[in-house]
Amino acid sequence: MTDDLQAAMAEFDDLEEAVGYVVEEHHEFLSWIGTTVDGVGDGTMTLSIPYDEKLTNARPNGPTDRRPDINGGVAATLVDTAGGLALRTELEDPFGGEVATINLNVNYLRPATGDLTARAEVVRAGSSVGVSEVVVESTTPDGETREVATGQGAYRLFRDR
């Protein structure tokens, strides 16, 4: 972690604020797609991305009677990011080490047509490898919340960097 980032992190009262700062200020892609941190706990992470037309599979000649679906890569990004950040909560210094994705598996259940929320839970955080499971939900046009994807990630944990 850079000295500037380390100094900024020391100013936050809790881990949720710190993670939100990192997502907003140090991950341009996550910031661009509107990612927010909704909850952080021991071995858990909740992230959201609001529905935005720029994230959809809108087609010029596609149906106009329904809202375009969010691209599946956005849900995969949430699975990967939430899973890795959840593992950071298991590190002695959540931002002192590094977490790198080894393997990512995403199962798509149905199209996402509204805001996305991912809830990650650590399955295991070993000395050098961790595993998280993630569920991604989306709101339907009529306001119902449904699972749209599930996933699991394996991550290399670099505890002392």
Side-chain angles (χ1 to χ4, degrees):
M1 177 169 29
T2 67
D3 290 339
D4 291 344
L5 179 55
Q6 197 163 17
M9 298 299 288
E11 295 182 25
F12 293 102
D13 294 329
D14 63 31
L15 189 55
E16 186 172 333
E17 288 179 3
V19 173
Y21 170 79
V22 169
V23 166
E24 181 66 29
E25 299 297 327
H26 293 276
H27 289 279
E28 194 166 332
F29 177 69
L30 295 177
S31 179
W32 181 77
I33 62 176
T35 309
T36 58
V37 178
D38 298 335
V40 178
D42 292 336
T44 65
M45 182 68 54
T46 304
L47 303 177
S48 294
I49 296 175
Y51 182 90
D52 190 316
E53 191 92 9
K54 72 184 177 191
L55 305 176
T56 68
N57 293 318
R59 293 173 181 86
N61 299 323
T64 58
D65 61 335
R66 69 181 190 108
R67 191 178 208 185
D69 305 333
I70 294 178
N71 183 282
V74 178
T77 296
L78 272 176
V79 170
D80 188 24
T81 305
L85 287 172
L87 277 159
R88 283 190 176 277
T89 69
E90 298 287 326
L91 301 177
E92 297 76 27
D93 178 359
F95 293 98
E98 296 293 327
V99 175
T101 307
I102 298 171
N103 188 45
L104 188 66
N105 181 314
V106 179
N107 299 299
Y108 298 99
L109 308 174
R110 62 186 48 86
T113 56
D115 298 344
L116 296 174
T117 299
R119 290 178 182 78
E121 187 170 325
V122 171
V123 174
R124 183 174 193 285
S127 61
S128 62
V129 175
V131 176
S132 296
E133 291 184 341
V134 185
V135 173
V136 181
E137 296 178 330
S138 179
T139 52
T140 62
D142 61 1
E144 186 180 351
T145 300
R146 302 195 62 194
E147 288 185 7
V148 295
T150 61
Q152 185 178 70
Y155 305 84
R156 173 72 166 93
L157 306 177
F158 301 93
R159 292 178 177 273
D160 298 317
R161 277 223 163 162

